[in-house]
Amino acid sequence: MTRGDEDGAGIGAADRPGERAGGRPRVVVVGGGFAGYNAVKALARTVGDTAEVVLVSPTNYFLYLPLLPEVASGVVEPRRISVSLADTLPRGVSHAQGEVDDVDLEGRTVRWMDPEGRHHTTGYDRLVLAVGSVHKLMPIPGLSRYAHGFRGIPEALYVRDHLIRQIDLAAGADDPEERRARCTFVVVGAGYTGTEVAAQGVLFTRDLARSRGLDDDAVRWLLVTRGEVLSGLDPHLGRTAARVLRERGVEVRTGETVEEATEDGVRLRGGEQVPTRTLVWCVGVRPDPLIEGVGLELAEGRLVVDRTLQVPGHPDVFACGDAAAVPDPGRPGQYTAMTAQHAERQGKLAGRNVAASLSGGRRRPYRHRDLGFVVDLGSTDAAANPLHLRLAGLPAKAVARGYHLLSMPGNRLRTAADWLLDAVLPRQSTQLGLVRSVSVPLDSSSPEVPHHPQMAFPPERSSGAR
């Protein structure tokens, strides 16, 4: 099915590859995360007006995902980390807002559905698949119904409202058992996201509890993980984060898993039943489900590519970021980790290599150097190892915030202003109620956008229960 500008795409979708006005080739980039966004920027700057560049993504912004925990804890406003595509991408890039549901490699076309439910199809001369990742699910009873993930603005807004709501309801509860359950918060997964959500969340909810007349010790946070905190990274980062969490009273349960989730709590592997109304799932990610239906070779669920990010046997298709199994030059026989650092670097390389493939230039292999990582733990605490220099406390905090400001493609001044205001003013604790539970299902192929309440997802939890 092919539709042109009358469907609102504005991309000349009816044209076939190589037969467009002016003879310009078209490059379609699917996905506007770290990989796709940087691929488009690098490509557009390299090819100028000699090629048509189209970005297909569900939102009209680039999400700076590392600061999402600060949105959920009320430190920064959501628009600070939502960087406008129109304001930051090179001029001449076309943005098609929608979710891709079909890729036809033989016909060299991509089909997507826009926010109003209309389908559009466009041809391509080069295709870059940078669709990113979604929540990694496990066959745990009740998980999809009672847990919420943390991959997009809708989920962060929901979690923020949910935390405030639980403290408000706890303050008004006459039953001590209900109050205890509402003040208990369980996070599963101790990677970047889970660690930062627990670290930021315990500070936020304790401030809320004090403002509602509850005791500090009324709030209980559990961080449940199969391995160690920040496993796989520099041990300094994990040790520092675990120490800070425990000093704040977070119960760090290593070597533990959730066996079942119910409306009233969770059951851990050892049999312990934890009464709670809050389960945040941060176990990990898996490639976007679109990848499974493309019909290309997969490795560990990701598209197989060579070191230049080209799909073998398909010289017109490239892939990068979480969707691609990119050979890791530093670890022979393994693939690069699914991190923002790799996605950003691979996106830039993909853009340059696509440009080279169009002009007959030389494509370059992916290389990277580990420059270190930062973990923001809220307040004045952080952990960092820039250039393998181990830092904690205020020095690490300064490095972490400096790194984020340099990495963000926009809104730097507004983000810094929010940080400053948070340091001198109490956080606002209003429930906006803009995102309901049914709008952010855990089993979602697009956590970036809220789902329509009438779609077939788990029903909203019973009135007042969540």
Side-chain angles (χ1 to χ4, degrees):
M1 180 169 60
T2 302
R3 300 187 182 182
D5 294 350
E6 69 274 13
D7 274 347
I11 300 172
D15 297 330
R16 295 180 181 178
E19 297 181 4
R20 302 184 184 93
R24 293 194 305 161
R26 176 184 293 157
V27 181
V28 175
V29 179
V30 181
F34 277 92
Y37 179 81
N38 283 282
V40 167
K41 290 181 69 173
L43 174 63
R45 288 171 178 169
T46 305
V47 301
D49 59 0
T50 63
E52 183 183 359
V53 181
V54 179
L55 171 64
V56 186
S57 65
T59 65
N60 74 338
Y61 59 82
F62 162 78
L63 175 63
Y64 189 72
L65 195 62
L67 291 184
L68 204 59
E70 297 201 359
V71 171
S73 58
V75 177
V76 300
E77 291 301 311
R79 284 186 297 176
R80 306 297 185 254
I81 66 172
S82 309
V83 181
S84 169
L85 297 178
D87 293 341
T88 56
L89 289 178
R91 301 183 74 175
V93 173
S94 299
H95 176 232
Q97 186 173 349
E99 299 181 44
V100 171
D101 53 22
D102 183 64
V103 176
D104 183 351
L105 297 176
E106 184 177 350
R108 296 168 79 181
T109 60
V110 171
R111 188 182 74 164
W112 75 93
M113 183 175 67
D114 69 22
E116 295 185 347
R118 298 176 300 173
H119 280 93
H120 309 256
T121 303
T122 186
Y124 64 82
D125 294 279
R126 296 291 186 276
L127 175 66
V128 180
L129 293 171
V131 289
S133 54
V134 298
H135 302 298
K136 182 179 181 181
L137 303 181
M138 293 184 179
I140 297 174
L143 180 67
S144 295
R145 183 178 178 88
Y146 297 108
H148 283 285
F150 207 80
R151 294 286 296 170
I153 290 290
E155 292 172 322
L157 289 177
Y158 173 80
V159 169
R160 182 180 183 276
D161 272 2
H162 178 81
L163 296 180
I164 298 171
R165 181 164 57 252
Q166 295 312 305
I167 296 297
D168 284 345
L169 292 174
D174 295 325
D175 182 0
E177 294 300 321
E178 178 188 349
R179 186 183 309 118
R180 187 175 300 111
R182 294 195 183 281
C183 288
T184 299
F185 307 93
V186 179
V187 179
V188 184
Y192 276 114
T193 303
T195 298
E196 292 190 346
V197 166
Q200 301 270 5
V202 67
L203 297 177
F204 183 46
T205 50
R206 282 191 174 149
D207 284 345
L208 288 172
R210 282 193 292 269
S211 71
R212 271 55 170 181
L214 297 172
D215 295 334
D216 279 359
D217 57 5
V219 173
R220 179 190 183 194
W221 279 77
L222 286 80
L223 179 60
V224 178
T225 175
R226 287 179 179 271
E228 298 296 322
V229 175
L230 298 176
S231 177
L233 299 180
D234 184 334
H236 160 73
L237 301 177
R239 287 195 300 266
T240 301
R243 174 181 57 78
V244 170
L245 289 169
R246 290 189 171 104
E247 287 175 353
R248 292 179 185 170
V250 176
E251 299 176 34
V252 181
R253 303 289 189 89
T254 58
E256 186 62 275
T257 59
V258 169
E259 289 285 312
E260 183 183 13
T262 67
E263 185 176 4
D264 299 319
V266 297
R267 178 168 55 84
L268 303 182
R269 181 172 57 183
E272 179 183 356
Q273 188 73 27
V274 180
T276 182
R277 301 293 190 273
T278 307
L279 177 59
V280 184
W281 186 257
C282 303
V283 165
V285 295
R286 58 190 171 96
D288 189 293
L290 174 71
I291 295 301
E292 298 176 2
V294 173
L296 296 171
E297 183 183 357
L298 303 180
E300 299 178 3
R302 304 158 75 182
L303 285 176
V304 171
V305 296
D306 61 25
R307 290 187 60 191
T308 68
L309 309 183
Q310 188 178 75
V311 175
H314 295 269
D316 55 341
V317 181
F318 293 75
C320 53
D322 291 353
V326 181
D328 191 334
R331 301 182 302 162
Q334 299 187 52
Y335 303 111
T336 56
M338 299 167 74
T339 67
Q341 281 193 27
H342 281 301
E344 179 177 351
R345 296 170 186 174
Q346 290 170 13
K348 292 177 180 178
L349 179 65
R352 292 193 291 266
N353 280 349
V354 167
S357 74
L358 291 171
S359 63
R362 176 173 172 264
R363 291 181 287 114
R364 298 184 180 278
Y366 180 64
R367 297 187 178 92
H368 70 89
R369 180 187 175 196
D370 183 2
L371 300 178
F373 296 89
V374 297
V375 184
D376 196 322
L377 301 171
S379 185
T380 58
D381 289 304
N385 62 341
L387 300 175
H388 306 290
L389 177 64
R390 296 178 175 179
L391 301 175
L394 278 174
K397 187 76 171 187
V399 169
R401 289 199 159 170
Y403 169 79
H404 289 314
L405 288 180
L406 288 173
S407 299
M408 294 180 69
N411 298 342
R412 296 186 181 96
L413 185 57
R414 288 187 172 93
T415 302
D418 276 1
W419 285 338
L420 177 61
L421 291 174
D422 182 67
V424 298
L425 296 175
R427 296 179 196 175
Q428 296 176 307
S429 59
T430 51
Q431 296 178 49
L432 298 178
L434 298 177
V435 182
R436 299 174 66 237
S437 171
V438 70
S439 300
V440 284
L442 184 64
D443 190 5
S444 168
S445 61
S446 295
E448 309 94 338
V449 294
H451 290 266
H452 194 281
Q454 294 181 353
M455 295 179 70
F457 289 111
E460 181 76 355
R461 289 163 177 147
S462 56
S463 176
R466 295 279 167 172

